[in-house]
Amino acid sequence: SMLTAGQSASGQITGSGLVSGSVIIAVSCTVPPPNTPVPVAGTSVTLGAVSSTSIAYTVATTDGVTHGGHYRYCYQASAAATYADIGALNVVEVLGLQGSTVIVASNTVQHLTVAGRGLPTTGNTAVLWSTACSSPTPVPNSTVAVNTSASGDSAALDVGTNQVAGGVYHLCFTVSGTSAAVDAGSVTVVQVNSVLPWWLPLHPA
C-alpha cells in the first residue's frame, strides 16, 4: 500500500487462524528476540475487529515526522515471540514548493517545483485552488501538468495561468496511488490587466 506522509488509511489483514496482537511499521521485521523491530517515527497501526480470517486495521503517518521510504507491516500475534512480515507500506513525503512561488498570469506556461522523497515517477497530479486542499478543483482557467524526476526527490510543474485572477492560491498535490491531496504551499499569481502607452497621463487634468 502507499500513503503520503500525514495521511491515514484503513484496511483488512486476511489469513486463517488469526488472533489478536499488534502491528508496527518498521524498516525490517526480522529482529531476533527479545528485541522488537523499531517503529518508524510518526507511524501507528490501530487494530479493530478480529476474526479467525481477518483483522481490521488503521495505519496513520505524521506530516513532518514520517519520512518517505519503503517500510514493512510487522505483525506479532498474542503470545508470539517474533514479528511476521505481512506486507509493504510505501510512504511518499511531499516537502513543499521549492524556489520562487510567484508567477504572472499569462498565456506562457510557467514552472514551479515541488520537493519530496519517494515521489512516483508518473501519475501525480496537482491543481491551483483558493481554499484548503480537502476537495480541490482547479481555479478557473488554470492548468497544472506534473513531470516527476526519476530520482523521486522533486516534481516539475508546468503551470498555465492565462486569465487567472491575481491572488494567493494553494498548490494541491496528489501523489499517484493515493486519493487525498496535500497542500504543497502557496502560489502567488500576479495579474496585469493592461499596459498604458507612455504618453498617456496617469492623472488627466
Side-chain angles (χ1 to χ4, degrees):
S1 60
M2 179 178 289
L3 280 178
T4 302
Q7 296 179 348
S8 60
S10 297
Q12 297 280 335
I13 300 167
T14 60
S16 59
L18 297 175
V19 296
S20 61
S22 62
V23 175
I24 63 175
I25 304 299
V27 174
S28 173
C29 303
T30 55
V31 178
N35 298 320
T36 60
V38 177
V40 174
T43 64
S44 65
V45 181
T46 303
L47 300 183
V50 178
S51 74
S52 62
T53 57
S54 69
I55 302 174
Y57 74 91
T58 299
V59 57
T61 58
T62 305
D63 187 26
V65 178
T66 307
H67 296 310
H70 303 290
Y71 305 117
R72 309 300 301 180
Y73 285 91
C74 303
Y75 166 65
Q76 185 183 41
S78 295
T82 58
Y83 282 79
D85 188 325
I86 60 172
L89 174 65
N90 295 326
V91 176
V92 177
E93 191 175 5
V94 179
L95 299 175
L97 287 164
Q98 189 177 54
S100 175
T101 59
V102 178
I103 57 181
V104 178
S106 74
N107 57 8
T108 302
V109 170
Q110 295 172 76
H111 306 287
L112 296 171
T113 301
V114 171
R117 293 190 182 99
L119 293 172
T121 56
T122 60
N124 305 304
T125 60
V127 298
L128 289 179
W129 184 227
S130 55
T131 59
C133 292
S134 56
S135 56
T137 55
V139 169
N141 301 315
S142 70
T143 61
V144 182
V146 182
N147 305 291
T148 305
S149 67
S151 64
D153 60 4
S154 67
L157 312 180
D158 297 331
V159 185
T161 55
N162 190 28
Q163 298 181 351
V164 171
V168 178
Y169 300 100
H170 297 263
L171 193 285
C172 302
F173 190 93
T174 303
V175 173
S176 176
T178 68
S179 57
V182 297
D183 193 332
S186 297
V187 176
T188 300
V189 176
V190 178
Q191 184 189 53
V192 178
N193 292 325
S194 62
V195 178
L196 295 175
W198 65 268
W199 62 84
L200 291 180
L202 294 178
H203 304 285

PDB file of all heavy atoms in Angstrom, residues 111-127:
ATOM      1  N   HIS A 111       6.806  27.715 -14.574  1.00  0.00           N
ATOM      2  CA  HIS A 111       7.291  26.496 -13.928  1.00  0.00           C
ATOM      3  C   HIS A 111       7.432  26.669 -12.412  1.00  0.00           C
ATOM      4  O   HIS A 111       7.891  27.701 -11.928  1.00  0.00           O
ATOM      5  CB  HIS A 111       8.647  26.097 -14.521  1.00  0.00           C
ATOM      6  CG  HIS A 111       8.611  25.971 -16.022  1.00  0.00           C
ATOM      7  ND1 HIS A 111       7.992  24.918 -16.658  1.00  0.00           N
ATOM      8  CD2 HIS A 111       9.088  26.782 -16.999  1.00  0.00           C
ATOM      9  CE1 HIS A 111       8.104  25.079 -17.960  1.00  0.00           C
ATOM     10  NE2 HIS A 111       8.761  26.201 -18.198  1.00  0.00           N
ATOM     11  N   LEU A 112       7.018  25.624 -11.697  1.00  0.00           N
ATOM     12  CA  LEU A 112       7.211  25.525 -10.257  1.00  0.00           C
ATOM     13  C   LEU A 112       7.825  24.159  -9.958  1.00  0.00           C
ATOM     14  O   LEU A 112       7.777  23.240 -10.788  1.00  0.00           O
ATOM     15  CB  LEU A 112       5.879  25.665  -9.511  1.00  0.00           C
ATOM     16  CG  LEU A 112       5.138  26.998  -9.625  1.00  0.00           C
ATOM     17  CD1 LEU A 112       3.751  26.878  -9.002  1.00  0.00           C
ATOM     18  CD2 LEU A 112       5.932  28.116  -8.958  1.00  0.00           C
ATOM     19  N   THR A 113       8.385  24.017  -8.755  1.00  0.00           N
ATOM     20  CA  THR A 113       8.993  22.749  -8.356  1.00  0.00           C
ATOM     21  C   THR A 113       8.494  22.349  -6.977  1.00  0.00           C
ATOM     22  O   THR A 113       8.516  23.159  -6.042  1.00  0.00           O
ATOM     23  CB  THR A 113      10.525  22.853  -8.332  1.00  0.00           C
ATOM     24  OG1 THR A 113      10.995  23.213  -9.632  1.00  0.00           O
ATOM     25  CG2 THR A 113      11.147  21.520  -7.927  1.00  0.00           C
ATOM     26  N   VAL A 114       8.041  21.113  -6.850  1.00  0.00           N
ATOM     27  CA  VAL A 114       7.671  20.537  -5.556  1.00  0.00           C
ATOM     28  C   VAL A 114       8.761  19.550  -5.148  1.00  0.00           C
ATOM     29  O   VAL A 114       9.104  18.643  -5.911  1.00  0.00           O
ATOM     30  CB  VAL A 114       6.310  19.818  -5.623  1.00  0.00           C
ATOM     31  CG1 VAL A 114       6.046  19.042  -4.337  1.00  0.00           C
ATOM     32  CG2 VAL A 114       5.194  20.827  -5.870  1.00  0.00           C
ATOM     33  N   ALA A 115       9.305  19.743  -3.957  1.00  0.00           N
ATOM     34  CA  ALA A 115      10.326  18.829  -3.432  1.00  0.00           C
ATOM     35  C   ALA A 115       9.656  17.706  -2.646  1.00  0.00           C
ATOM     36  O   ALA A 115       8.594  17.893  -2.050  1.00  0.00           O
ATOM     37  CB  ALA A 115      11.302  19.586  -2.543  1.00  0.00           C
ATOM     38  N   GLY A 116      10.286  16.530  -2.651  1.00  0.00           N
ATOM     39  CA  GLY A 116       9.734  15.405  -1.915  1.00  0.00           C
ATOM     40  C   GLY A 116      10.725  14.281  -1.761  1.00  0.00           C
ATOM     41  O   GLY A 116      11.893  14.401  -2.149  1.00  0.00           O
ATOM     42  N   ARG A 117      10.252  13.191  -1.189  1.00  0.00           N
ATOM     43  CA  ARG A 117      11.042  11.968  -1.077  1.00  0.00           C
ATOM     44  C   ARG A 117      10.172  10.800  -1.527  1.00  0.00           C
ATOM     45  O   ARG A 117       9.048  10.645  -1.056  1.00  0.00           O
ATOM     46  CB  ARG A 117      11.515  11.725   0.363  1.00  0.00           C
ATOM     47  CG  ARG A 117      12.517  12.737   0.898  1.00  0.00           C
ATOM     48  CD  ARG A 117      13.104  12.265   2.233  1.00  0.00           C
ATOM     49  NE  ARG A 117      14.036  13.232   2.802  1.00  0.00           N
ATOM     50  CZ  ARG A 117      13.730  14.106   3.753  1.00  0.00           C
ATOM     51  NH1 ARG A 117      12.502  14.138   4.243  1.00  0.00           N
ATOM     52  NH2 ARG A 117      14.640  14.939   4.218  1.00  0.00           N
ATOM     53  N   GLY A 118      10.694  10.001  -2.425  1.00  0.00           N
ATOM     54  CA  GLY A 118       9.972   8.826  -2.882  1.00  0.00           C
ATOM     55  C   GLY A 118       8.803   9.111  -3.790  1.00  0.00           C
ATOM     56  O   GLY A 118       7.887   8.295  -3.906  1.00  0.00           O
ATOM     57  N   LEU A 119       8.795  10.255  -4.478  1.00  0.00           N
ATOM     58  CA  LEU A 119       7.690  10.584  -5.373  1.00  0.00           C
ATOM     59  C   LEU A 119       7.630   9.587  -6.533  1.00  0.00           C
ATOM     60  O   LEU A 119       8.657   9.279  -7.138  1.00  0.00           O
ATOM     61  CB  LEU A 119       7.858  11.992  -5.932  1.00  0.00           C
ATOM     62  CG  LEU A 119       7.745  13.150  -4.937  1.00  0.00           C
ATOM     63  CD1 LEU A 119       8.134  14.457  -5.622  1.00  0.00           C
ATOM     64  CD2 LEU A 119       6.340  13.240  -4.387  1.00  0.00           C
ATOM     65  N   PRO A 120       6.441   9.070  -6.856  1.00  0.00           N
ATOM     66  CA  PRO A 120       6.325   8.198  -8.030  1.00  0.00           C
ATOM     67  C   PRO A 120       6.749   8.935  -9.293  1.00  0.00           C
ATOM     68  O   PRO A 120       6.620  10.164  -9.383  1.00  0.00           O
ATOM     69  CB  PRO A 120       4.828   7.850  -8.060  1.00  0.00           C
ATOM     70  CG  PRO A 120       4.359   8.053  -6.654  1.00  0.00           C
ATOM     71  CD  PRO A 120       5.167   9.201  -6.122  1.00  0.00           C
ATOM     72  N   THR A 121       7.219   8.189 -10.269  1.00  0.00           N
ATOM     73  CA  THR A 121       7.725   8.832 -11.485  1.00  0.00           C
ATOM     74  C   THR A 121       6.612   9.293 -12.410  1.00  0.00           C
ATOM     75  O   THR A 121       6.827  10.174 -13.235  1.00  0.00           O
ATOM     76  CB  THR A 121       8.653   7.880 -12.247  1.00  0.00           C
ATOM     77  OG1 THR A 121       7.941   6.664 -12.525  1.00  0.00           O
ATOM     78  CG2 THR A 121       9.886   7.557 -11.415  1.00  0.00           C
ATOM     79  N   THR A 122       5.433   8.706 -12.301  1.00  0.00           N
ATOM     80  CA  THR A 122       4.314   9.108 -13.156  1.00  0.00           C
ATOM     81  C   THR A 122       3.019   9.106 -12.340  1.00  0.00           C
ATOM     82  O   THR A 122       2.946   8.496 -11.267  1.00  0.00           O
ATOM     83  CB  THR A 122       4.131   8.162 -14.358  1.00  0.00           C
ATOM     84  OG1 THR A 122       3.870   6.837 -13.872  1.00  0.00           O
ATOM     85  CG2 THR A 122       5.358   8.153 -15.252  1.00  0.00           C
ATOM     86  N   GLY A 123       2.009   9.778 -12.874  1.00  0.00           N
ATOM     87  CA  GLY A 123       0.670   9.683 -12.298  1.00  0.00           C
ATOM     88  C   GLY A 123       0.337  10.691 -11.229  1.00  0.00           C
ATOM     89  O   GLY A 123      -0.800  10.722 -10.734  1.00  0.00           O
ATOM     90  N   ASN A 124       1.288  11.526 -10.815  1.00  0.00           N
ATOM     91  CA  ASN A 124       0.987  12.565  -9.825  1.00  0.00           C
ATOM     92  C   ASN A 124       0.164  13.678 -10.489  1.00  0.00           C
ATOM     93  O   ASN A 124       0.317  13.943 -11.679  1.00  0.00           O
ATOM     94  CB  ASN A 124       2.277  13.155  -9.256  1.00  0.00           C
ATOM     95  CG  ASN A 124       3.183  12.097  -8.677  1.00  0.00           C
ATOM     96  OD1 ASN A 124       2.789  11.326  -7.806  1.00  0.00           O
ATOM     97  ND2 ASN A 124       4.413  12.038  -9.171  1.00  0.00           N
ATOM     98  N   THR A 125      -0.689  14.321  -9.712  1.00  0.00           N
ATOM     99  CA  THR A 125      -1.498  15.412 -10.239  1.00  0.00           C
ATOM    100  C   THR A 125      -1.448  16.592  -9.281  1.00  0.00           C
ATOM    101  O   THR A 125      -1.116  16.443  -8.103  1.00  0.00           O
ATOM    102  CB  THR A 125      -2.961  14.986 -10.449  1.00  0.00           C
ATOM    103  OG1 THR A 125      -3.514  14.568  -9.185  1.00  0.00           O
ATOM    104  CG2 THR A 125      -3.067  13.860 -11.459  1.00  0.00           C
ATOM    105  N   ALA A 126      -1.793  17.773  -9.788  1.00  0.00           N
ATOM    106  CA  ALA A 126      -1.815  18.974  -8.949  1.00  0.00           C
ATOM    107  C   ALA A 126      -2.790  19.975  -9.541  1.00  0.00           C
ATOM    108  O   ALA A 126      -3.036  19.983 -10.756  1.00  0.00           O
ATOM    109  CB  ALA A 126      -0.417  19.589  -8.843  1.00  0.00           C
ATOM    110  N   VAL A 127      -3.354  20.807  -8.675  1.00  0.00           N
ATOM    111  CA  VAL A 127      -4.218  21.900  -9.108  1.00  0.00           C
ATOM    112  C   VAL A 127      -3.935  23.121  -8.251  1.00  0.00           C
ATOM    113  O   VAL A 127      -3.457  23.013  -7.111  1.00  0.00           O
ATOM    114  CB  VAL A 127      -5.727  21.551  -9.010  1.00  0.00           C
ATOM    115  CG1 VAL A 127      -6.079  20.389  -9.919  1.00  0.00           C
ATOM    116  CG2 VAL A 127      -6.125  21.252  -7.562  1.00  0.00           C
TER     117      VAL A 127
END
